[in-house]
Structure formats: C-alpha cells, structure tokens
Amino acid sequence: MHCPFCRHDDSRVVDSRTTDDGFAIRRRRQCPNCSKRFSTLETASLSVIKRAGVAEPFSRDKIVSGVRKACQGRPVTDTDLAQLAQKVEETIRASGSSQVEANDIGLAILPFLRELDDVAYLRFASVYQGFASAADFEAAIKQLKMDGVTPKYANEDADGEAVIADQTTSTKGSLT
Ligand SMILES: [Zn+2]
C-alpha cells in the first residue's frame, strides 16, 4: 500500500501481530522512501444487511446496546454483555460468510441470552421471533422448561439483591 506520508507506492512490513480478540492482524510498516512508520489493521470483512437492504460493518457494540435494552432492570452485567457479543461474533464468523442479515444476528443472540437471563431472553425473543400474543410467550416459557436450561440469573430479583448476597458469600469464602 502507498505510504501515507510521501505516497511512495511500496512499504515494508516490520512487525505483524494478531490483536487480543484474534479477529484482526496489526502490521507495522515502514516506507523505504521516507523511512516513516505506520500501522495497518487487517480484518475479515463482515457486513450486516439491514431490512432496507443497506449494508453496514458488523459491530459488537450494536449487539451489546441491543441486548442491554432487553436487560433493563435485570442483573446482567457489562461483562456478561461483552462476553455474549463475543460469542455471537464467533458463531457468525464461524459460518464463513462475509454477509449476515440483521435478523440472523438477533436469532444468533437468543441461545446465549437464554443461558444468561430468562426475562431478557423472552423480551428479546418476542421481537426477533415475532411473538404475536401471550400464547407465544407461554410456548416459549414451556420450551425453556422442557429444555431444562437454567439461566445464570434465573433465581435473582430484578433489584439484584441475590447478587449482593453472592458477593458477601464469596468474600467470606476467600477470607478463610
Ligand atoms: Zn514514505
């Protein structure tokens, strides 16, 4: 690629490393003409096709903000959301496709959200699976019971009291 400083049409790679999340390679380059250094970031392209047919780059932040809305008043943490978004990205990239429909991302989120919080899962599923009535919620709840999934926050109050109790227990545990 062209040097961003002098526009020389060649550059030499001096260092190459994978980013922490493993989804990109950062290359340190040097221009043989002006000797200045610059970095390039190489990622496998993944675009999201919105309903109107418009494509935009895949964004983990958008997954986090979308799921966070469904988690209002629930004890789900930012770390939980970041991990969920990472798992969803891994799942989608593993399919090998460079384009994904926005709705398919919603559907890919569901199994991970189900393991996290049942209330948020039902809220999210009602949107992405197009629940039309209370009967759809009943069916989804029945399915949850049948599958025997125990979400991480299944037995906790919305105000997070059980979370505080858990932390107290673990503090005691670490002191002994
Ligand atoms: Zn240069």
Side-chain angles (χ1 to χ4, degrees), residues 3-8 10 31-36 38:
C3 167
F5 304 102
C6 74
R7 300 270 154 203
H8 186 71
D10 193 21
C31 173
N33 184 46
C34 70
S35 298
K36 284 188 176 154
F38 56 97

Side-chain angles (χ1 to χ4, degrees), residues 52-63:
V54 184
E56 63 176 41
F58 175 87
S59 153
R60 263 195 227 181
D61 290 345
K62 287 208 167 162
I63 293 185

